[in-house]
C-alpha cells in the first residue's frame, strides 16, 4: 500500500497579518476617542452645572441683600426724627431736671413702640445715657456710659453712625444707628441712637438648606446660619484690628477670632470659590459666592452644595457610556450581519468554523447585553403570566433595597409595596393582568427596605417569547423622587419671589414714607408748642383745638405706618368678591406721596355700576401697585407739565377691562419681548420681578395682562379679569 501524502499546514499570509494589525489599531483609536468623548462630555456638563449653580446663588444673594437692606434701612431716619423733638433738646440743655428726664423716657418709649425697634436712647456729650425707651426694665440703658462706642464718637463729630456689636448692657448683638442732636447754634449737644436686632434675619437663615453668613470688614462672621461658624474669621485678624475690637467691645469679652475650618480653592475659570469643610461632623463641599452689602462694610456669602455638580458630571459620563455602548452594540450587530452573509456564501466549506464563530459572537453579545442591562440606571422587572417575578436588574434592586434573591419567585403583594398605597397597587396589578395597563405609564409610590419612600414612573408592556406566545410582562421603573422634590421646591421659590417683590416695592416707597411722616411730625411739634403757649395764657378753647389737631396728626402718622407695614406683612386671605374701584383706591392711597412728588395729572374713571371681581384681594392690589409705580417711574423723564396718568375701566363681555395709560417715555420695541421675563429690568437697582409676577398673578386669576404704545407717546397697560359669577 502506498503511504498517504501529508496535508500542508496553512500559514497566514503577510497581507492578512497586516490587515489584523490595522484592525487592532483602528479599534484602539476608536476606544481612545470614545474615552475622550466620555471625559469631555462630563467636563462640559460639570462646567455648565457649576455656572448655573453660581447664577442661582447670585439670584438668592440678591433676594437676601434685599431683605438685609430692608432690615437695616427702615430705621435709618428714626434717630434724626427723635433728635428734633423739643423734649430731647430741653433735656440736653437741662440734664438735671427729673421731670424732663421722665418726659423724654416716655416719648422715646412711645416712639420706639410705634417704630418697632429694640431700644431708642439719648446720650449726652460725655457719653452717658440720659433717657431710654427701656427705662422701666431691669436692663435699662439710663445712666450707662457708651463713650467708647464708635457710633457715639461718629455722631458726636456731627456724622451719622452705624455699628454692629454686642450690647454692653444686655449682651445681645444688634445694629446701632446714631444721629447727632444739634442746638440752636448748630452745636452737637448729644446723640440719639436706635438699636435694631437682626435675630429674625438670622433665624430665617437657619432654616435654609445651605449656609449663609455675613462678615464685617475684618472678615469676622457675626451672622451665620451655621452656629459653630459664628465669631470665626475668614482670614487672620491683625493685632491692630484685635486691639480695636477689644477697645470698642464690639463682640463682648472675646479676645480672639479663630479662622474658619475651611479649605478654599478656585475651580479653574468657574465662578465663585470651592470650600471644603465639616458641619456637624460631616464633610461638606460648597460653591460660595460673596457679594458686598451696599452702604455697609459687610460681605454676604451664599453657598450651595457643590456635590450636585459632581453628580451631574457622573450622570453625563453614564449617558455618554450608554450612548457609546448602544453605538458599539449597533456596530457589533452590523458586524454579525455581514459575517452571516459571508458565511452563507461559503456554508459548506466553513460550516464548522462558522458555527464556532457564531456561537462565540452570540456569547459575547449576550454578555455585553447583560452588562448593559446591569449598568442601566432604569429599573427592569419581568413577571410571568401568574404575576411571579422572574427577573430584576441591579438598578431595580438598588431602587427598592431588596436583593434579587429576595424578589425572584415572589407573588403579590410584593415586599416593596407601600403600605399606604396597597389598594392602588392592586388596582394597577389587576389592570396589567387584564391587559389594560396605561401606555403612558403610571406613578407608583414604593417603600425602600430601609423605610424611606421612593416615587417612580412605571411603564409596562407584554412580554412575548420566541414562538410569539404571551409569556408575561416587562416593566421599566424610573425613579422620579428628586424630580418631584424639585417641582415642590420650584413652587416654594415662586411664592418666595412674590414676597420678595412686595419687599422690593416697599423699598421703593421708603422715601415716600419718610416724606409722608415728616409733615405730620413737624405739625405735631407746631401744635404742641402752640398748646403750651395757650396753656400759659389760659385760653382753654384754643388749647383744646390745638390738642385735637395734635391727636389728628398722630392718628395720621399711625395710619401711614399701618398701611406700609400691612402691605408687607399681610398674607393673602384667598378668593373673595372684590370691587375694582376699591382695589384702585387702596393702591393709590399707598402711593399718595409719590403721586404728589411726581406732580402727575391723575384721572380715574371707573363706573360705579361695574360688577364685582372674583379673586385674591391682596394679590390684585399688588398688581395694581406695581403697574401704577411703573407708570410713575416712566413719566418722571418728561417735563412736569406733560406728566399724565389715566386709569379707566369698563365691562367688556364677561370681563372687566382696566387700562392704565401714561405719557412717559414708552417701551423700546427692541426690548418689548423681554418685558415680562424674570430678572429683566431697565430701572437701576430693580430686581426685574414686578411685571413677571404681575402676569403670573393675572393668569392665575384666568385673566390677561398686555401692553401697547400710546398714541402721542407713553404706554398703555391693559388688564382683563373675569367677572365673579352671580
Amino acid at each position: 500500500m502506498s503511504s498517504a501524502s501529508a496535508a500542508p499546514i496553512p500559514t497566514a499570509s503577510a497581507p492578512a497579518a497586516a490587515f489584523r494589525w490595522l484592525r487592532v489599531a483602528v479599534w484602539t483609536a476608536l476606544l481612545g476617542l470614545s474615552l475622550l468623548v466620555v471625559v469631555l462630555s462630563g467636563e462640559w456638563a460639570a462646567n455648565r452645572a457649576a455656572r448655573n449653580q453660581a447664577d442661582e446663588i447670585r439670584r438668592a444673594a440678591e433676594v437676601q441683600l434685599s431683605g438685609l437692606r430692608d432690615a437695616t434701612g427702615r430705621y435709618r431716619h428714626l434717630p434724626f426724627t427723635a433728635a428734633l423733638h423739643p423734649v430731647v433738646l430741653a433735656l440736653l440743655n437741662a440734664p438735671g431736671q427729673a421731670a424732663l428726664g421722665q418726659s423724654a423716657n416716655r416719648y422715646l418709649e412711645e416712639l420706639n413702640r410705634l417704630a418697632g425697634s429694640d431700644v431708642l436712647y439719648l446720650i449726652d456729650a460725655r457719653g452717658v445715657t440720659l433717657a431710654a425707651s427701656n427705662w422701666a426694665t431691669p436692663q435699662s440703658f439710663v445712666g450707662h456710659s457708651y463713650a467708647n462706642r464708635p457710633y457715639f464718637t461718629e455722631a458726636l463729630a456731627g456724622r451719622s453712625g452705624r455699628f454692629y456689636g454686642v450690647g454692653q448692657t444686655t449682651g445681645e448683638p444688634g445694629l446701632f444707628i446714631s444721629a447727632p442732636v444739634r442746638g440752636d447754634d448748630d452745636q452737637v449737644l448729644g446723640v440719639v441712637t436706635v438699636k435694631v436686632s437682626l435675630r429674625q434675619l438670622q433665624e430665617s437663615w437657619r432654616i435654609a438648606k445651605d449656609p449663609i453668613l455675613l462678615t464685617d470688614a475684618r472678615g469676622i462672621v457675626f451672622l451665620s446660619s451655621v452656629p459653630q461658624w459664628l465669631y470665626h474669621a475668614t482670614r487672620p485678624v491683625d493685632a491692630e484690628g484685635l486691639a480695636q475690637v477689644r477697645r470698642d467691645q464690639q463682640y463682648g469679652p472675646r479676645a480672639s477670632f479663630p479662622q474658619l475650618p475651611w479649605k478654599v480653592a478656585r475651580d479653574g475659570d468657574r465662578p465663585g470659590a470651592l470650600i471644603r469643610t465639616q458641619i456637624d461632623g460631616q464633610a461638606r463641599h460648597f460653591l460660595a459666592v460673596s457679594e458686598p452689602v451696599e452702604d455697609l462694610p459687610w460681605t454676604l456669602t451664599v453657598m450651595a452644595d457643590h456635590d450636585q455638580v459632581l453628580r451631574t458630571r457622573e450622570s453625563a459620563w453614564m449617558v455618554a457610556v450608554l450612548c457609546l455602548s448602544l453605538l458599539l452594540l449597533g456596530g457589533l450587530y452590523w458586524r454579525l450581519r455581514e459575517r452571516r452573509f459571508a458565511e452563507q456564501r461559503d456554508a459548506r466549506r466553513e460550516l464548522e468554523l462558522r458555527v464556532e464563530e457564531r456561537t462565540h459572537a452570540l456569547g459575547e453579545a449576550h454578555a455585553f447585553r447583560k452588562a448593559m442591562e446591569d449598568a442601566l440606571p432604569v429599573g427592569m422587572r419581568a413577571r410571568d403570566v401568574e404575576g411571579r417575578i422572574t427577573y430584576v436588574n441591579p438598578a431595580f434592586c438598588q431602587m427598592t433595597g431588596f436583593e434579587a434573591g429576595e424578589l425572584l419567585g415572589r407573588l403579590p403583594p410584593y415586599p416593596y409595596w407601600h403600605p399606604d398605597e396597597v389598594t392602588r397597587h392592586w388596582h394597577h396589578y389587576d389592570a396589567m393582568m387584564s391587559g389594560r395597563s396605561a401606555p403612558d405609564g403610571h406613578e407608583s409610590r414604593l417603600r425602600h427596605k430601609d423605610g424611606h419612600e421612593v416615587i417612580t414612573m412605571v411603564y409596562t408592556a407584554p412580554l412575548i417569547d420566541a414562538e410569539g406566545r404571551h409569556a408575561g410582562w416587562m416593566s421599566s421603573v424610573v425613579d422620579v423622587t428628586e424630580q418631584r422634590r424639585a417641582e415642590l421646591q420650584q413652587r416654594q421659590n415662586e411664592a418666595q419671589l412674590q414676597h420678595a417683590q412686595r419687599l422690593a416695592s416697599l423699598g421703593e416707597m421708603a422715601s415716600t414714607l419718610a416724606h409722608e411722616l415728616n409733615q405730620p411730625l413737624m405739625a405735631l411739634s407746631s401744635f404742641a408748642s402752640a398748646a403750651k403757649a395757650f396753656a400759659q395764657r389760659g385760653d382753654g378753647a384754643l388749647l383744646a383745638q390745638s390738642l385735637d389737631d395734635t391727636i389728628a396728626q398722630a392718628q395720621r402718622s399711625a395710619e401711614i405706618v399701618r398701611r406700609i407695614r400691612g402691605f408687607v406683612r399681610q398674607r393673602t386671605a384667598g378668593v373673595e368678591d372684590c370691587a375694582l374701584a376699591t382695589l384702585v383706591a387702596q393702591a393709590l392711597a399707598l402711593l399718595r406721596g409719590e403721586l404728589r412728588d411726581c406732580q402727575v395729572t391723575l384721572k380715574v374713571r371707573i363706573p360705579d355700576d361695574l360688577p364685582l371681581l372674583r379673586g385674591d384681594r391682596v394679590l390684585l392690589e399688588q398688581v395694581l401697585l406695581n403697574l401704577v409705580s411703573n407708570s410713575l417711574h416712566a413719566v418722571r423723564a418728561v417735563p412736569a407739565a406733560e406728566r399724565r396718568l389715566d386709569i379707566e375701566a369698563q365691562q367688556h363681555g364677561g370681563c372687566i377691562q382696566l387700562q392704565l395709560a401714561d405719557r412717559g417715555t414708552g417701551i423700546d420695541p427692541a426690548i418689548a419681548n423681554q418685558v415680562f421675563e424674570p430678572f429683566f429690568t431697565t430701572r437701576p437697582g430693580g430686581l426685574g420681578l414686578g411685571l413677571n409676577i404681575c402676569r403670573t398673578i393675572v393668569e392665575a386669576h384666568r385673566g390677561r395682562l398686555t401692553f401697547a404704545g400710546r398714541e402721542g407717546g407713553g404706554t398703555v397697560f391693559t388688564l382683563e379679569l373675569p367677572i365673579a359669577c352671580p
Side-chain angles (χ1 to χ4, degrees):
M1 291 178 63
S2 60
S3 61
S5 59
I9 300 176
T11 59
S13 62
F19 178 75
R20 284 197 298 270
W21 279 108
L22 178 61
R23 186 170 58 183
V24 171
V26 170
W27 279 104
T28 303
L30 289 176
L31 180 60
L33 181 61
S34 300
L35 292 176
L36 180 62
V37 169
V38 171
V39 172
L40 292 179
S41 63
E43 291 302 315
W44 175 83
N47 286 331
R48 182 178 180 184
R51 297 187 185 280
N52 290 339
Q53 190 178 62
D55 291 339
E56 292 176 359
I57 294 175
R58 289 194 183 95
R59 289 193 289 269
E62 290 178 0
V63 175
Q64 295 295 341
L65 285 173
S66 176
L68 184 59
R69 284 193 297 268
D70 174 69
T72 60
R74 69 174 67 178
Y75 303 104
R76 185 180 304 171
H77 301 286
L78 189 59
F80 293 95
T81 302
L84 299 176
H85 199 274
V87 73
V88 172
L89 295 172
L91 181 59
L92 288 174
N93 288 320
Q97 294 189 14
L100 284 176
Q102 188 65 16
S103 298
N105 283 330
R106 296 190 181 279
Y107 165 71
L108 294 177
E109 180 182 20
E110 180 63 13
L111 184 58
N112 181 73
R113 185 186 66 79
L114 292 174
S117 53
D118 278 14
V119 185
L120 184 63
Y121 52 104
L122 172 65
I123 310 173
D124 65 10
R126 298 173 301 155
V128 178
T129 303
L130 299 181
S133 61
N134 63 352
W135 63 276
T137 64
Q139 293 181 328
S140 171
F141 287 5
V142 177
H144 289 272
S145 175
Y146 302 106
N148 64 319
R149 290 296 202 174
Y151 65 81
F152 169 77
T153 56
E154 289 180 6
L156 196 62
R159 302 183 300 271
S160 61
R162 279 183 290 180
F163 173 77
Y164 184 91
V166 175
Q168 293 182 177
T169 305
T170 63
E172 293 291 332
L175 175 64
F176 297 84
I177 304 174
S178 61
V181 181
R182 300 180 184 273
D184 295 335
D185 55 355
D186 203 33
Q187 181 183 359
V188 177
L189 302 178
V191 175
V192 175
T193 305
V194 61
K195 180 181 179 182
V196 181
S197 174
L198 300 182
R199 288 191 302 271
Q200 292 184 352
L201 182 64
Q202 184 169 3
E203 290 300 324
S204 67
W205 286 0
R206 288 186 178 177
I207 64 175
K209 181 178 66 174
D210 295 319
I212 305 173
L213 58 134
L214 201 59
T215 56
D216 62 12
R218 299 181 181 89
I220 299 174
V221 179
F222 61 89
L223 282 183
S224 173
S225 61
V226 181
Q228 54 263 42
W229 290 355
L230 201 61
Y231 301 120
H232 285 62
T234 59
R235 59 180 182 273
V237 182
D238 56 21
E240 181 180 356
L242 288 175
Q244 183 65 38
V245 171
R246 285 196 292 270
R247 283 195 302 270
D248 298 340
Q249 298 183 16
Q250 183 172 4
Y251 300 116
R254 294 178 179 83
S256 63
F257 302 92
Q259 281 192 258
L260 287 166
W262 290 357
K263 291 184 179 179
V264 184
R266 302 292 301 183
D267 193 5
D269 59 345
R270 295 177 183 172
L274 297 181
I275 295 178
R276 295 185 181 273
T277 185
Q278 284 192 349
I279 300 179
D280 298 331
Q282 182 179 5
R284 300 294 300 273
H285 190 195
F286 296 104
L287 176 65
V289 175
S290 298
E291 295 288 344
V293 180
E294 184 180 358
D295 295 334
L296 288 170
W298 299 348
T299 301
L300 177 69
T301 301
V302 182
M303 300 183 183
D305 189 356
H306 193 62
D307 289 340
Q308 298 178 1
V309 177
L310 302 180
R311 289 192 292 269
T312 300
R313 176 189 290 162
E314 294 173 358
S315 299
W317 285 344
M318 293 179 62
V319 172
V321 169
L322 179 61
C323 294
L324 291 174
S325 300
L326 293 175
L327 290 175
L328 179 59
L329 183 61
L332 288 175
Y333 174 78
W334 177 82
R335 178 185 175 189
L336 291 176
R337 180 173 177 272
E338 292 298 320
R339 180 176 294 177
R340 185 173 66 251
F341 287 161
E343 289 172 352
Q344 287 177 354
R345 290 194 300 266
D346 203 8
R348 282 183 174 273
R349 186 181 58 186
E350 300 291 341
L351 181 59
E352 293 182 0
L353 181 62
R354 183 183 65 180
V355 171
E356 181 180 355
E357 289 181 351
R358 184 175 182 183
T359 302
H360 178 69
L362 289 175
E364 287 184 350
H366 175 74
F368 179 79
R369 186 189 66 184
K370 181 68 168 57
M372 183 182 67
E373 291 176 356
D374 292 344
L376 282 174
V378 176
M380 304 296 296
R381 175 191 60 194
R383 289 174 286 186
D384 60 17
V385 293
E386 297 178 355
R388 184 178 289 104
I389 297 177
T390 58
Y391 168 77
V392 290
N393 69 340
F396 186 82
C397 294
Q398 183 179 6
M399 195 178 302
T400 60
F402 292 93
E403 299 292 338
E406 299 177 90
L407 298 177
L408 295 179
R410 293 291 296 267
L411 287 168
Y414 304 122
Y416 49 79
W417 278 7
H418 198 286
D420 297 338
E421 300 281 336
V422 172
T423 303
R424 189 176 181 186
H425 285 304
W426 277 115
H427 172 74
H428 291 302
Y429 176 79
D430 293 340
M432 179 196 71
M433 295 296 289
S434 60
R436 294 182 287 104
S437 297
D440 53 351
H442 66 272
E443 185 173 297
S444 177
R445 186 155 63 111
L446 309 180
R447 185 172 69 176
H448 195 273
K449 188 176 182 180
D450 63 9
H452 74 267
E453 294 185 353
V454 180
I455 303 175
T456 63
M457 284 297 297
V458 182
Y459 304 88
T460 302
L463 187 62
I464 308 300
D465 63 11
E467 298 180 0
R469 293 176 300 183
H470 179 218
W473 291 270
M474 176 64 74
S475 300
S476 59
V477 185
V478 183
D479 188 347
V480 296
T481 306
E482 292 301 326
Q483 178 182 346
R484 295 295 183 265
R485 290 176 181 169
E487 292 172 353
L488 176 61
Q489 183 65 34
Q490 181 180 1
R491 291 193 296 269
Q492 294 175 348
N493 289 340
E494 289 176 354
Q496 291 176 357
L497 285 177
Q498 290 186 6
H499 184 64
Q501 172 59 23
R502 290 206 298 272
L503 294 179
S505 299
L506 177 63
E508 295 176 359
M509 291 189 294
S511 60
T512 301
L513 175 61
H515 182 74
E516 287 283 345
L517 285 177
N518 185 56
Q519 292 181 358
L521 288 177
M522 292 300 293
L524 279 172
S525 178
S526 299
F527 290 142
S529 299
K532 181 178 180 181
F534 294 146
Q536 292 174 351
R537 287 163 41 187
D539 193 336
L542 293 178
L543 174 60
Q545 179 63 37
S546 298
L547 292 177
D548 291 340
D549 293 338
T550 302
I551 293 172
Q553 293 301 321
Q555 292 174 347
R556 177 185 173 191
S557 301
E559 176 65 18
I560 293 172
V561 173
R562 184 193 65 76
R563 283 183 178 174
I564 300 302
R565 293 178 64 185
F567 175 73
V568 177
R569 295 181 179 177
Q570 64 185 341
R571 299 184 179 272
T572 58
V575 177
E576 58 182 300
D577 291 337
C578 307
L580 180 61
T582 303
L583 296 177
V584 174
Q586 289 290 342
L588 295 178
L590 286 172
L591 294 173
R592 185 182 296 114
E594 190 171 350
L595 287 165
R596 184 171 57 252
D597 292 342
C598 189
Q599 299 180 2
V600 64
T601 301
L602 176 66
K603 288 190 176 181
V604 181
R605 291 186 289 272
I606 300 179
D608 296 333
D609 57 349
L610 280 179
L612 297 177
L613 299 173
R614 186 71 174 168
D616 191 307
R617 178 182 57 80
V618 174
L619 295 181
L620 293 178
E621 284 183 8
Q622 182 181 346
V623 172
L624 295 173
L625 184 66
N626 285 333
L627 294 179
V628 175
S629 179
N630 286 344
S631 296
L632 294 180
H633 183 269
V635 300
R636 289 183 182 274
V638 302
E642 301 177 9
R643 297 174 186 172
R644 183 185 179 99
L645 175 60
D646 297 326
I647 302 178
E648 298 183 1
Q650 60 180 351
Q651 183 175 353
H652 188 73
C655 297
I656 293 180
Q657 187 181 81
L658 177 69
Q659 289 188 334
L660 292 90
D662 61 61
R663 285 294 184 187
T665 55
I667 297 177
D668 189 349
I671 63 172
N673 294 332
Q674 301 174 270
V675 166
F676 290 110
E677 293 183 1
F679 302 105
F680 174 80
T681 180
T682 58
R683 184 185 304 184
L687 289 178
L689 298 174
L691 288 177
N692 176 264
I693 291 179
C694 286
R695 187 173 64 175
T696 302
I697 294 173
V698 172
E699 291 178 351
H701 285 76
R702 298 180 293 110
R704 194 165 61 116
L705 178 61
T706 59
F707 71 93
R710 185 178 185 182
E711 185 177 355
T715 307
V716 179
F717 275 89
T718 301
L719 174 63
E720 294 184 2
L721 292 170
I723 297 172
C725 296

